[in-house]
Amino acid sequence: MAVTGLLFTAFVVVHMVGNLKVFGGATGFDAYAAWLRTLLYPLVPHEGVLWALRVVLVLGLVGHVWCAVVLVRRSHASAGPHRRRTGLTAGSFGARSMLLTGVVLLLFVVFHVLDMTTGTAPAASEAFEPGTAYANLVASFSRPWVAAFYGITMVLLALHVAHGVRTAAGDLGVTGARSRAVITTVGGIAAVAVLLGNAAIPIAVQAGWLT
């Protein structure tokens, strides 16, 4: 689970950096989207690299969810019917929220693909047109409920990433206090960066800065 979690953390950071190209305008953002579809072409088929990445991410997602289900079942089985409840602390909140944030993020991934990739209604806007990434993004985030949903999900993603990276360090055998502190800090920075970078886009659309 730690490996798949770190894989997704790396992906969301890179994905966020790519998303920020939207602030450069339609031409640059659409060119970036086209570049992703033609990466390594003609060495590989058109969109070959993109589909390979999608397959890896889907397999990683399946593995991540499966591990989460196994861990939850083991936790409940080991605790028994009379498990002790403790007070809510910052650490325990992060741990207890992982399942909830994970479920919401899974639903968000499905919605996001239908909205921005396949253009499937009602997730996608009525103005969706294949190949016009910038216009599709602006049209989608022009809907207040989508912008709000996206922003809230980014908060949950930040919580998930921050706690996930910290626990992944232990799962991978990192025991040194200094090393764990560094990894926790890196995870926190990544979480905040993803939150601010991605949330800035729907805010900019709603504010009229991206049209």
Side-chain angles (χ1 to χ4, degrees):
M1 189 172 189
V3 174
T4 55
L6 293 177
L7 170 67
F8 281 112
T9 298
F11 170 75
V12 296
V13 171
V14 173
H15 189 53
M16 179 270 297
V17 173
N19 286 343
L20 291 179
K21 293 183 180 295
V22 72
F23 289 102
T27 301
F29 191 68
D30 286 345
Y32 167 67
W35 174 78
L36 290 176
R37 293 192 292 270
T38 58
L39 189 61
L40 295 185
Y41 179 84
L43 180 62
V44 297
H46 185 262
E47 295 191 357
V49 173
L50 193 57
W51 275 106
L53 178 60
R54 287 168 176 166
V55 170
V56 171
L57 290 173
V58 168
L59 293 177
L61 180 61
V62 171
H64 199 69
V65 171
W66 180 78
C67 289
V69 172
V70 171
L71 287 176
V72 169
R73 288 181 175 178
R74 287 181 178 177
S75 176
H76 288 174
S78 62
H82 305 294
R83 56 182 178 272
R84 182 180 178 184
R85 296 184 180 276
T86 58
L88 186 64
T89 64
S92 65
F93 175 77
R96 294 179 186 180
S97 67
M98 288 299 280
L99 180 59
L100 173 61
T101 56
V103 171
V104 175
L105 291 174
L106 179 60
L107 296 175
F108 170 76
V109 168
V110 175
F111 176 86
H112 190 57
V113 170
L114 295 176
D115 181 20
M116 299 291 189
T117 303
T118 64
T120 304
S125 70
E126 296 180 355
F128 181 91
E129 291 186 15
T132 58
Y134 182 92
N136 292 338
L137 181 147
V138 172
S140 180
F141 288 149
S142 293
R143 299 172 293 174
W145 69 272
V146 174
F149 175 54
Y150 192 87
I152 293 171
T153 304
M154 290 306 103
V155 174
L156 299 181
L157 175 60
L159 292 173
H160 201 84
V161 167
H163 183 76
V165 171
R166 183 168 66 86
T167 55
D171 293 342
L172 294 176
V174 179
T175 56
R178 180 175 298 179
S179 297
R180 290 178 66 88
V182 170
I183 293 175
T184 299
T185 301
V186 171
I189 293 174
V192 172
V194 169
L195 169 60
L196 296 180
N198 283 336
I201 299 174
I203 291 174
V205 173
Q206 285 293 311
W209 301 331
L210 293 176
T211 57

